[in-house]
């Protein structure tokens, strides 16, 4: 099984931006999709955004219009551009490869994630 390495989190004021990166130690072309998830304090992990091999995307309603997911197959990487951040976006953000876009089942064990904190 491969590994997932997330980075790019930090502390930002409301309205600010961050770009998260996820590097996978296996070829992401072998999997149908890659996605970003987040887990806020005292909450379950939830899907934030996903993208298929064909470029189809899916976003949680709470981030539509603010977040953009992209992928770079040459680098086996995925990115999450987060604009107009809100305090409720505060969470640990993870990436993984779901068995299908929107499915809760994922192929890899979860990585360490990257902390995003948005101050008001």
């Amino acid at each position: 099984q491969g590994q997932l390495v997330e980075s790019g989190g930090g502390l930002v004021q409301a309205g600010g931006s961050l770009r998260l990166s996820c590097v996978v130690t296996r070829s992401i072309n072998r999997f149908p999709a890659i996605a970003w998830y987040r887990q806020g304090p005292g909450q379950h992990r939830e899907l934030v955004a996903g993208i298929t091999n064909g470029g189809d995307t899916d976003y949680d309603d709470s981030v539509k219009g603010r977040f953009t997911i992209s992928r770079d197959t040459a680098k086996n990487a995925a990115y999450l551009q987060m604009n107009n951040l809100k305090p409720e976006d505060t969470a640990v953000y993870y990436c993984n490869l779901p068995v299908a876009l929107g499915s809760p089942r994922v192929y890899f064990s979860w990585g360490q994630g990257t902390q995003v904190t948005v101050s008001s």
Side-chain angles (χ1 to χ4, degrees):
Q1 191 180 56
Q3 290 185 314
L4 306 162
V5 181
E6 301 96 343
S7 63
L11 173 63
V12 64
Q13 288 188 331
S17 299
L18 284 173
R19 185 175 186 249
L20 306 184
S21 299
C22 166
V23 176
V24 185
T25 60
R26 291 182 63 185
S27 172
I28 63 175
N29 274 337
R30 300 181 62 180
F31 302 89
I34 190 165
W36 283 95
Y37 305 78
R38 66 185 179 188
Q39 186 168 15
Q43 298 186 4
H44 296 293
R45 187 179 287 134
E46 63 178 2
L47 174 69
V48 175
I51 185 168
T52 68
N53 276 347
D56 293 332
T57 56
D58 183 34
Y59 294 93
D60 183 79
D61 286 344
S62 65
V63 307
K64 283 180 180 176
R66 301 188 298 123
F67 291 11
T68 303
I69 188 171
S70 60
R71 55 188 284 154
D72 185 335
T73 55
K75 296 181 179 179
N76 292 318
Y79 307 96
L80 187 67
Q81 178 66 42
M82 306 187 296
N83 298 328
N84 191 21
L85 282 160
K86 303 176 180 181
E88 52 263 44
D89 294 320
T90 295
V92 179
Y93 284 70
Y94 304 86
C95 65
N96 214 314
L97 295 98
V99 299
L101 196 61
S103 171
R105 295 174 55 207
V106 295
Y107 282 103
F108 285 20
S109 298
W110 295 97
Q112 295 296 310
T114 186
Q115 175 71 48
V116 172
T117 303
V118 185
S119 64
S120 56

